[in-house]
Amino acid sequence: MTTALPPRTPRRLLARLLAKRTPQNALDHDRFTGPIRGELLGVEGLAERARSLARQQRTAPAGQADERGAPRAGPPVLLRRLDETQRLLESIRDTLGEAVERGADVSPAGDWLLDNFYVVQEHIREIREGMPKGYYRELPKLAAGTLAGYPRVYEIAIGLIAHTEGHVEFANIESFVREFQRAVTLTTGELWAMPTMLRLGLVENIRRMSLRTVQRLEDVARADRWAQRIRDAAEADAQSLTTAVAAFVGGHPPLTPAFIARFLQQIRAYQASWPPLVWLEQWISDEGMGAQDAVARSNQRLALTQVMMANSITSLRTIARLDWPTFVESLSAAEIVLRRDPAGTYPDMTFATRDHYRHVVEELARHAPLADHEVAQRALELAQRAAAGPDGSGPSDARTHHVGYYLVDEGRTVLEAVIGFGAPWTSRAYRLVLEHSETVYFGGILALTVLVLAMPLMFIRVGSVGAILAIIAAALIPANEVAISIIHQLITLYLPPRILPKL
């Protein structure tokens, strides 16, 4: 019995997806279905690889790097590829499910995908939630190399996946990133992006192994069809067999290890010693590879595909369980600086407050010619100077020797001047509103109240001033309520809450 695939196979779907993009838009590994895999390294090897990667990387100036050929107005290439991967995996899932219903062998890797497809879907959703376009574009990008224009932290994730055969856990993630930072300091945003980039790399691995699984299924189906065709010809007469063998030699499919192993297995099961078939086996051996070599390579490829698929899915489960806030805090260079707070207050604050401080540092660094830890260092220096006092006798105001005074309180303007902060228009507008909060609040209510009162008068013909005053008196309170409600809604939407630091 043959195991023909349905007309719409994932490989055809993949061809259509890739045809929509220019070659410059695609990652170099688009052309391959091999795993993201390099030499398997131990602890010391991973540490050396991380340091080597840090030395090799070159980042592009902010605002001048984007994926090759990617339109800045559209979604980044990695996120577009994620959409393609989701559609491709859904098609492969359907194909493998139909093959299982027909009784075909989808291989252990195919079973892993079918049994854990919901895990892959869940992590694809996590990637989208954790990597909005604006956040993605703010990550430092590579200036050279295979992944030029892509986030620096993505190459770190790919490197770790490649040298662990897709088996990532907290220990090797933390060690790899820590060793990388011995040469190059990552931003806080990059540390927070690490789980998303690992998910992207692992999903990419699953995509490749899924394509391998379908390719094997197609090879087996082709081998069964050709074997059946030759068997039918052999049962007819010698001329039919000669014609069938000639057709195979002249128009055979790719002689992959899986195809050769399956085809020769089927032929041998029919009549191994028949001269035309013996000649055909010899011809295949000369053109492609021998039966034993084909079986060995096919089994090796099958085993590797299973291992990479299993490791990638298991690692996705692991990533979902890891304590990423602790990971970020333990590796943040800004955190190390802020913990030297002269007031001794910062280490005793809640995690949410410390994280808020780090986000403020990240925001300031984004619009200043300094890195995160350098901004934190300037805040620390201001606090230390204030703690010592102008004459070394101590501060007059104890608040000023806490780093938070320069990050979230009145001392922020001093820090901004020191670091050369260029405030974006949104920050300037926000500060203008806060500086004139009463005018904005009550003036906004008054303006909206007048506007709401004017609306009925525009559509109602009133013959006297008394009637106009009567309408205004009747509508004043409802109009004022509407105006207050609108102003409160706008405040909620556009003015973020001011977080109170907590111990």
Side-chain angles (χ1 to χ4, degrees), residues 105-107 211-221 258 302:
D105 175 20
V106 297
S107 78
L211 286 172
R212 272 194 169 194
T213 301
V214 171
Q215 182 184 22
R216 175 188 173 275
L217 199 61
E218 292 175 343
D219 289 340
V220 169
L302 190 66

Side-chain angles (χ1 to χ4, degrees), residues 98-148:
E98 293 170 4
V100 169
E101 291 178 359
R102 296 194 305 273
D105 175 20
V106 297
S107 78
D111 290 333
W112 265 93
L113 181 65
L114 291 175
D115 293 342
N116 297 277
F117 192 76
Y118 71 96
V119 175
V120 180
Q121 288 181 311
E122 177 184 339
H123 281 272
I124 289 176
R125 287 194 297 270
E126 289 283 345
I127 292 170
R128 290 200 177 98
E129 292 174 4
M131 191 57 60
K133 288 189 294 184
Y135 179 31
Y136 181 97
R137 296 195 188 280
E138 290 171 358
L139 296 173
K141 307 296 192 304
L142 294 170
T146 304
L147 296 177

Side-chain angles (χ1 to χ4, degrees), residues 5 19 26-28 32 37 50 62 86 105 109 153 225 241 279 284 294 306 390 394 415 464 466 473:
L5 291 173
L27 287 171
D28 286 350
F32 304 100
R37 183 171 180 256
Q86 182 174 17
D105 175 20
V153 69
R225 287 196 296 269
L241 176 59
W279 177 89
I284 291 174
Q306 177 189 357
L415 177 60
S464 65

Side-chain angles (χ1 to χ4, degrees), residues 451-466:
L451 180 63
V452 173
L453 284 173
M455 290 177 65
L457 296 177
M458 294 171 60
F459 301 100
I460 300 175
R461 291 186 177 182
V462 182
S464 65
V465 174

Side-chain angles (χ1 to χ4, degrees), residues 406-436:
Y406 303 95
L407 295 174
V408 298
D409 206 352
E410 297 174 3
R412 175 159 172 165
T413 55
V414 179
L415 177 60
E416 289 178 356
V418 169
I419 66 175
F421 178 74
W425 70 268
T426 51
S427 295
R428 294 196 296 270
Y430 176 69
R431 293 177 185 182
L432 186 64
V433 169
L434 293 184
E435 289 171 2
H436 304 87

